[in-house]
């Protein structure tokens, strides 16, 4: 696994919170379904992360795992196109977390924005634990153990990818300077042949002296094409052009995902904590009941009162589910009092129920066959462990822990 190839690998995970809702579907799962056809994707259940805040009551974790994975499968995450697994079944995550903790300054963890935010929000819990302080480092280990080059995150999670980049950079700086690094790198350049060696040196100079990012990308592509150098030499040359050492842990890049614009039933962000959600696999009658009782524009007290769609949570859902003609019908009818709130909600109910129909059908196959779900996760675990073991072998060797 070279640092160049890592740009084709994606890593993402979710805490097991049980059955998911439409906010998860539009904010995360639809993106996963798209990515699995464009990259090599690893999707994992972050059950250890669930313990960082719910260590005192883990009783619901197991059932939540199965419910959530069935939702993934129902949404179209395909085990034939991606690797799905449970975090705690790949112990290499924990080993890399431990090894990275040896080099990670305490202040790096304490400055993570979500550290103090969550302590404030969850004041009723005792979060003065190493597990809670160290969860960003465990997240870093989750990413780096697969040498994933891309991590799909929302804007509020970019800081977690940034600390991962800093930890990878620090690790490579400390352990990538193998004895005779420059001599080995220069020897690897010669192996590329005169023409490619000259081009590499030219690109290296442009990047190091002028900061030319295009030269860096061209050099990466050049190295990826080389057939007559070893994987180790390729990693040396990748680090050499950046003025560092051998790249053992590639720095990941955040893959920004559009924020889900689907509001909850009350207009706030859809969340189980707010009890304003529609489940990913909600029964049609329940969908209808929830949408019919949604809050609407408070100015429309009577059927004959004109309304303002922008002040109504129902309009927020129409922007996701309705076509241009229906949206125009809503805008005109609401403002003129030509339609009532129940009239406005009817096409929305139909659209949500229709969207969920194939999800219900796919889920039935897995709900009726739990062994199939277990086998998917078992197969995913084996594939994930193979990739993680490769990384740990190099990390152990770099840290002097490779024994005969």
């Amino acid at each position: 696994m070279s640092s160049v190839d890592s740009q084709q690998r994606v890593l993402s995970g979710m805490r097991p919170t049980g059955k998911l809702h439409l906010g998860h579907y539009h904010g995360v799962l639809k993106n996963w379904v798209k990515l699995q056809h464009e990259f090599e994707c690893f999707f994992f259940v972050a059950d250890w992360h669930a313990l960082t805040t719910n260590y005192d009551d883990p009783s619901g974790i197991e059932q939540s795992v199965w419910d959530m994975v069935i939702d993934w499968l129902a949404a179209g995450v395909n085990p034939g196109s991606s690797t799905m697994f449970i975090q705690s079944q790949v112990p290499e995550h924990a080993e890399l977390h431990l090894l990275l903790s040896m080099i990670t300054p305490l202040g790096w963890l304490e400055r993570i924005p979500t550290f103090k935010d969550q302590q404030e929000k969850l004041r009723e819990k005792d979060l003065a634990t190493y597990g809670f302080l160290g969860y960003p480092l465990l997240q870093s280990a989750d990413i780096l153990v697969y040498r994933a080059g891309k991590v799909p995150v929302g804007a509020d999670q970019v800081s977690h990818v940034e600390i991962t980049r800093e930890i990878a950079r620090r690790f490579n700086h400390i352990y990538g300077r193998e004895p005779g690094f420059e001599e080995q790198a220069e020897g690897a350049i010669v192996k590329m042949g005169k023409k490619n060696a000259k081009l590499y040196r030219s690109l290296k100079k442009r990047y190091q002296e002028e900061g030319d990012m295009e030269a860096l990308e061209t050099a990466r592509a050049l190295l990826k094409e080389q057939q007559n150098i070893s994987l180790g030499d390729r990693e040396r040359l990748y680090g050499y052009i950046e003025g560092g050492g051998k790249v053992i842990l590639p720095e990941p890049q955040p893959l920004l995902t559009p924020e889900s614009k689907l509001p909850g039933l009350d207009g706030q962000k859809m969340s189980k904590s707010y009890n304003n959600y529609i489940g990913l696999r909600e029964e049609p009658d329940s969908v209808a009941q929830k949408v019919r009782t949604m809050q609407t524009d408070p100015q429309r007290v009577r059927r004959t009162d004109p309304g303002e769609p922008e002040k109504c949570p129902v309009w927020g859902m129409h922007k996701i589910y309705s076509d241009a003609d229906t949206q125009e019908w809503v805008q005109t009818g609401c403002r003129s009092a030509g339609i009532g709130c129940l009239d406005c909600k009817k096409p929305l109910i139909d659209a949500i129920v229709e969207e969920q129909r194939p999800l219900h059908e796919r889920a039935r196959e897995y709900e009726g066959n739990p062994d199939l779900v277990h086998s998917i996760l078992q197969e995913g675990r084996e594939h994930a462990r193979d990739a993680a073991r490769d990384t740990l072998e190099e990390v152990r060797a770099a840290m002097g822990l490779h024994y005969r």
Side-chain angles (χ1 to χ4, degrees):
M1 180 69 184
S2 73
S3 55
V4 177
D5 295 334
S6 75
Q7 295 305 306
Q8 292 304 310
R9 184 172 279 183
V10 165
L11 184 284
S12 191
M14 292 176 68
R15 290 188 183 208
T17 55
K19 293 181 178 180
L20 303 180
H21 53 64
L22 290 181
H24 296 118
Y25 181 59
H26 287 276
V28 179
L29 294 180
K30 286 173 81 171
N31 189 47
W32 282 11
V33 171
K34 175 175 173 286
L35 290 173
Q36 70 184 350
H37 299 300
E38 300 172 0
F39 299 96
E40 181 188 13
C41 290
F42 287 77
F43 300 132
F44 72 97
V45 178
D47 56 339
W48 276 334
H49 284 293
L51 288 173
T52 60
T53 51
N54 294 317
Y55 61 85
D56 55 336
D57 183 18
S59 58
I61 290 179
E62 184 177 0
Q63 186 58 50
S64 292
V65 168
W66 306 129
D67 288 340
M68 188 172 76
V69 170
I70 289 174
D71 276 342
W72 290 3
L73 293 163
V77 180
N78 186 342
S81 304
S82 59
T83 299
M84 302 165 58
F85 61 98
I86 298 172
Q87 180 189 33
S88 65
Q89 294 188 340
V90 183
E92 286 77 10
H93 287 241
E95 183 178 351
L96 185 58
H97 176 218
L98 171 67
L99 295 175
L100 294 177
S101 74
M102 305 300 178
I103 67 161
T104 303
L106 193 59
W108 287 15
L109 300 175
E110 291 174 331
R111 78 178 189 220
I112 296 287
T114 51
F115 174 65
K116 289 184 178 176
D117 289 348
Q118 286 214 19
Q119 276 194 323
E120 183 64 26
K121 287 177 184 173
L122 302 173
R123 274 186 292 182
E124 73 282 0
K125 290 181 176 287
D126 178 10
L127 295 181
T129 62
Y130 168 71
F132 183 71
L133 175 66
Y135 85 87
L137 185 59
L138 179 56
Q139 284 186 323
S140 295
D142 296 333
I143 298 165
L144 295 173
V145 79
Y146 299 104
R147 291 185 271 197
K150 291 181 168 60
V151 185
V153 290
D156 59 336
Q157 290 289 312
V158 169
S159 61
H160 290 289
V161 181
E162 186 53 41
I163 192 175
T164 303
R165 289 169 55 79
E166 291 176 353
I167 290 166
R169 199 175 304 138
R170 181 171 169 83
F171 185 93
N172 293 331
H173 177 74
I174 295 172
Y175 300 110
R177 280 289 183 181
E178 56 194 336
F181 170 75
E182 290 193 11
E183 292 80 359
Q184 291 187 63
E186 287 293 335
I189 295 174
V190 173
K191 294 176 190 175
M192 293 169 64
K194 287 185 179 180
K195 182 180 177 182
N196 288 329
K198 183 179 180 182
L199 176 58
Y200 175 85
R201 291 185 195 280
S202 169
L203 294 167
K204 178 173 178 285
K205 183 176 180 180
R206 279 169 51 195
Y207 175 69
Q208 291 185 353
E209 294 184 5
E210 303 168 25
D212 187 339
M213 292 303 295
E214 188 177 339
L216 177 61
E217 293 303 320
T218 304
R220 284 175 172 167
L222 175 68
L223 291 173
K224 188 174 182 180
E225 293 169 0
Q226 298 307 301
Q227 301 296 321
N228 51 345
I229 60 173
S230 67
L231 179 59
D233 278 341
R234 188 177 299 167
E235 295 294 354
R236 287 183 190 96
L237 293 179
Y238 182 69
Y240 195 40
I241 196 172
E242 291 194 333
K246 179 180 176 181
V247 174
I248 301 164
L249 297 176
E251 294 180 32
Q253 299 289 339
L255 190 61
L256 281 175
T257 55
E259 185 179 351
S260 173
K261 295 179 181 176
L262 184 69
L265 299 171
D266 56 0
Q268 298 184 80
K269 179 180 177 181
M270 188 173 285
S271 168
K272 285 185 178 180
S273 349
Y274 299 153
N275 196 28
N276 66 352
Y277 67 94
I278 296 175
L280 185 75
R281 292 180 281 133
E282 193 98 24
E283 289 301 322
D285 288 348
S286 179
V287 171
Q289 174 64 17
K290 285 186 173 182
V291 175
R292 285 194 193 105
T293 55
M294 276 183 74
Q295 297 178 17
T296 54
D297 180 357
Q299 299 302 313
R300 293 204 73 180
V301 179
R302 293 177 294 273
R303 167 69 173 76
T304 53
D305 292 334
E308 174 50 63
E310 299 298 339
K311 296 179 181 177
C312 178
V314 179
W315 171 244
M317 285 198 170
H318 270 296
K319 288 193 286 188
I320 302 295
Y321 281 100
S322 299
D323 59 24
D325 289 343
T326 304
Q327 289 186 27
E328 185 178 349
W329 172 77
V330 169
Q331 287 277 349
T332 304
C334 180
R335 288 196 171 99
S336 66
I339 60 171
C341 293
L342 288 177
D343 299 324
C344 173
K345 292 172 178 178
K346 177 67 169 61
L348 188 57
I349 294 169
D350 293 342
I352 295 172
V353 168
E354 186 58 34
E355 177 184 62
Q356 292 187 328
R357 196 183 313 281
L359 276 64
H360 282 291
E361 291 172 2
R362 280 194 290 263
R364 274 193 286 273
E365 175 188 359
Y366 299 107
E367 286 180 315
N369 189 356
D371 288 345
L372 178 57
V373 179
H374 289 204
S375 68
I376 287 169
L377 292 172
Q378 172 76 12
E379 187 176 334
R381 178 185 74 175
E382 294 308 315
H383 185 211
R385 287 206 73 181
D386 285 344
R389 285 190 190 107
D390 288 345
T391 302
L392 261 298
E393 279 184 21
E394 287 200 44
V395 168
R396 292 187 200 112
M399 297 182 78
L401 303 174
H402 188 65
Y403 305 110
R404 292 184 179 180

